[in-house]
Amino acid sequence: MHVYLATDGSPTAAEAERLLAKFPFAEPPRVTLATVCPVPDLHAISSDVTMPVTELVDQCRSEATKLLSQKATRCQEWAGSVETLLLAGHPADELLQSIESVHPDVVVVGSRGLGAVRRMLLGSVSERIVKHAPCSVLVAHAPKHGLQFDSFLFADDGSKAALAGIDRFAPLLKGRRCWIELLSVVEQISVYGMDLAMEADGGLQQTLAENLARLKEHAAKFDRDRAMIETSVRTATDVADAVLHMAEEKHTDLIVVGSRGKSVWERFLLGSVSLGVLHHMPCSVWIERVK
């Protein structure tokens, strides 16, 4: 697997690095480690720039280079190979352009804590990467019970991306002792006392039965000898909230959800459920994106 790790030296970026060291890779991954200096090297135009400005830029680039070197050394403990990239310019724009050219399997970013706020919110750079990266994205956030990958929640909405996420992780978790929850949430509204399922053709009960049957098919893909596997179908007026509630109830280490693409010019934007999960996540979230 080719992992693109975006770092800025922050505590959340360091947390992403520590989480990757425990991730259930099938084999040591290839890692591209990238950071962004806000300004480019100015020596080529030094005659037009004052010495104090040039010195400040040199200091910024020196610190960024040192950061990459230190992190690359740590990543080599668990990675198969590590390549470093020092980018210059607007962080989100430069990272997205780099991701487009490098073609990784997954981009890893950290989440940002907001003081006493109970849950986690994405920073602006992480959110832009999550919305616009052309590949899967792992948003790293250690749950309260510590850095580990023992409990997985797969939120299945019947989409190709959700199925791709299950197919990706089933072989990775083979032979591993872990807890796996397969969850389907049917969005429900109440009209004149009648419960109706959104996007359902055969009525609520039939939709619930069909979704449960689909989850049981997915469950057969995992290693039943080593993993404890559960399937659950729920109804909710807020699908993202139902996923988050399950994650907290089961002390989940990683939530796996699919992205939902829109029009060509809005390519790879997330659906409301995926974004809702990210904005209030109690643990790391993997967004599976079908290329």
Side-chain angles (χ1 to χ4, degrees), residues 197-237:
M198 299 293 290
E199 301 181 4
D201 296 327
L204 177 58
Q205 294 306 315
Q206 181 177 332
T207 299
L208 294 175
E210 290 173 350
N211 286 13
L212 182 59
R214 186 177 69 243
L215 292 184
K216 291 187 179 299
E217 290 180 3
H218 296 334
K221 299 179 180 181
F222 292 93
D223 188 348
R224 294 180 179 274
D225 293 332
R226 301 287 290 176
M228 185 170 68
I229 306 169
E230 297 182 2
T231 57
S232 179
V233 178
R234 298 185 176 185
T235 61
T237 56

Side-chain angles (χ1 to χ4, degrees), residues 137-150:
V137 180
L138 171 60
V139 182
H141 169 47
K144 296 177 183 178
H145 52 272
L147 296 167
Q148 55 190 349
F149 282 104
D150 295 329

Side-chain angles (χ1 to χ4, degrees), residues 22-25 148-152 171-180 223 225-228 253:
K22 295 180 177 292
F23 193 84
F25 295 110
Q148 55 190 349
F149 282 104
D150 295 329
S151 176
F152 299 83
L172 296 182
L173 301 181
K174 187 175 180 61
R176 183 184 180 93
R177 287 194 176 276
C178 57
W179 175 87
I180 296 170
D223 188 348
D225 293 332
R226 301 287 290 176
M228 185 170 68
D253 298 313

